[in-house]
Amino acid sequence: MEEFNGIMMQYFEWYLDCKQNFWNDIKERAPQLAKVGINAIWLPPAYKGIGGADEVGYGTYDVYDLGEFDQKGTVKTKYGSKDEYLECIQALKKNGIEVYADVVLNHKMGADMIQTVPAVKVNWQNHNEVISDEEVVKVATKYTFPGRKHKYSDFEWNWTHFDGIDYNNANNENALFKFKNKDWEGEVDEENGNYDYLMGADLDFENPEVVEECKRWGKWYIDLTKIDGFRLDAVKHIPAYFYDDWIRYLRETTKRTLFTVGEYWSADVDKLHRYITGTKGQIALFDVPLHYNMYQASIDENYDLRNMFNKTLVQENGSEAVTFVDNHDTQPGQALQSFIEEWFKQAAYAIILLRNSGYPCIFYGDYYGIPHDNKPPVKDLDTIIQIRKQKAYGKQNEYFDDSHYVGWTREGDDSHPQSGLAVVISNSSDGEKKMFVGQKFAGQKFKDALNICPDEIIIDNEGYGIFKVKGKSASIWVL
Ligand code: CA
């Protein structure tokens, strides 16, 4: 990745008003995105969910319905039809952009029929604690997909393919039910005792029929769409051994690299290490701890900037870290809302784009803005992207040595002319930092690419410059 400084982009936000025409929009924008420097795009879940035409994509109903069948009140998904999806992927690939599919296998929603099942209630705060005698419940667990009529797969789901559900249709009771002879799975997060169960009808990955069907679907999906990799949803609720087996199988049968990043939503880096190890290093993870550090820095003026990379994945296992600023869950109004304040956004993008570790992912809502919440696009994000592409090379020198003023430099390398840079971040007032950028720059003038500081910095004979920064901002100095 580092030779060409790859960039991934999450190409959606929660409140897109795309009128079931999103795949077509992306297809048209593909050449522009390539020109900007995007190397890979993570597209939203492409299959039919319980919400039909309004479904963002995480309420999975039928993973074989990519906008092809009249199900959940619509043929197209929120984003368009199956054919439009395939054309969109083709257009992106033709422009040299890889495509990652969003995979939501933890749960299913919107069943076609109700089943009668023996179950026990468990405590929401501790899923390991049974709080009722066995009772007979009526649950939404039978999936026959009548609109699809067994095209692509004749697999029908029933309650034996699930561990539990949160609703009893017999008496309209909301409670967490675990089905008879089922156990929550291991190698998942330990929040709430055991965090196998998140929502909907929870897949039982200890059932061989489930594992086999998920593999069959994955192979079908790659063969049909020619996607290049995956973003895996909600992996902290899915056993690590399942994804080790699943992705290994798909890589072997398709003979493709299939870059894969999982969403393990935890600020605890040790849990991320554990999951990566659990998959035997088969998948990367999003650097959630770094997101939270940047979020804290943006909301707390006393944040000690020296701690920015403490207990982050990019610091401790950079080759398995996908760094990001925000996403569809952290944006305003969403479940994990922790949207980085506007004043810190440029600093945050400098942190993920201009350093020598991590695979950065740009958020659609930062690039284009979020009209639903009046959030503007991050200013000059294109400029920061260009600097990553052209100048963020060579040795990195760290100056995370002050609680309010930190920075780093890149010395540049011979294969990228004019490369090299210096970044200074302040969460206080105006300031400056003396930093080494390389003796080869002696006597040369650096300018602030974001045009926040008007000065020119002249590098001294030893290769140092005194780089300035305005209060509560980032400055990015380049030749
Ligand atoms: Ca689960």
Side-chain angles (χ1 to χ4, degrees), residues 106-107 163 185 188 195-198 202-203 205 237-239:
N106 179 63
H107 51 266
D163 283 325
E185 276 147 334
V188 296
Y195 217 177
D196 177 9
Y197 187 87
L198 174 66
D202 185 71
L203 269 63
F205 292 103
H237 312 283
I238 296 174

Side-chain angles (χ1 to χ4, degrees), residues 149-258:
K149 301 184 177 63
H150 290 174
K151 191 173 176 186
Y152 305 130
S153 169
D154 57 10
F155 190 85
E156 294 189 356
W157 298 74
N158 63 61
W159 76 269
T160 67
H161 301 120
F162 303 105
D163 283 325
I165 203 163
D166 61 353
Y167 192 73
N168 179 1
N169 291 66
N171 58 5
N172 301 322
E173 185 182 9
N174 287 297
L176 182 46
F177 297 97
K178 183 160 68 80
F179 301 152
K180 188 180 173 71
N181 297 328
K182 296 286 189 176
D183 289 311
W184 302 125
E185 276 147 334
E187 294 194 31
V188 296
D189 198 84
E190 55 273 78
E191 203 180 325
N192 301 314
N194 170 300
Y195 217 177
D196 177 9
Y197 187 87
L198 174 66
M199 59 170 83
D202 185 71
L203 269 63
D204 176 6
F205 292 103
E206 282 162 337
N207 183 331
E209 291 177 8
V210 170
V211 174
E212 195 188 316
E213 173 60 10
C214 288
K215 286 180 176 174
R216 194 185 312 132
W217 171 75
K219 173 77 163 54
W220 170 84
Y221 200 97
I222 296 166
D223 289 346
L224 176 72
T225 65
K226 312 289 189 289
I227 46 112
D228 303 288
F230 298 108
R231 177 267 183 189
L232 307 176
D233 184 57
V235 299
K236 78 185 203 188
H237 312 283
I238 296 174
Y241 61 77
F242 167 76
Y243 268 128
D244 172 27
D245 179 39
W246 187 80
I247 196 65
R248 201 184 291 271
Y249 164 79
L250 291 176
R251 284 177 179 148
E252 278 166 11
T253 52
T254 64
K255 307 271 181 275
R256 301 189 53 200
T257 309
L258 300 175

Side-chain angles (χ1 to χ4, degrees), residues 19 151 179 193 205 208 238 359 361 363 371 427:
K19 303 185 169 55
K151 191 173 176 186
F179 301 152
F205 292 103
I238 296 174
Y359 182 8
C361 180
F363 178 43
N427 66 353

Side-chain angles (χ1 to χ4, degrees), residues 45 54 151 190 198 218 237 279 286 320 338 349 360 374 439 473:
D54 299 320
K151 191 173 176 186
E190 55 273 78
L198 174 66
H237 312 283
T279 67
F286 287 106
E320 303 292 349
S338 49
Y349 274 101
N374 294 314
Q439 213 162 11
S473 79

Side-chain angles (χ1 to χ4, degrees), residues 363-391:
F363 178 43
Y364 181 101
D366 285 334
Y367 191 81
Y368 295 108
I370 304 175
H372 180 272
D373 294 283
N374 294 314
K375 295 293 178 194
V378 173
K379 200 161 172 284
D380 294 328
L381 187 45
D382 272 336
T383 304
I384 306 175
I385 291 170
Q386 285 314 306
I387 293 171
R388 171 173 179 79
K389 290 288 169 181
Q390 293 162 10
K391 297 179 182 292

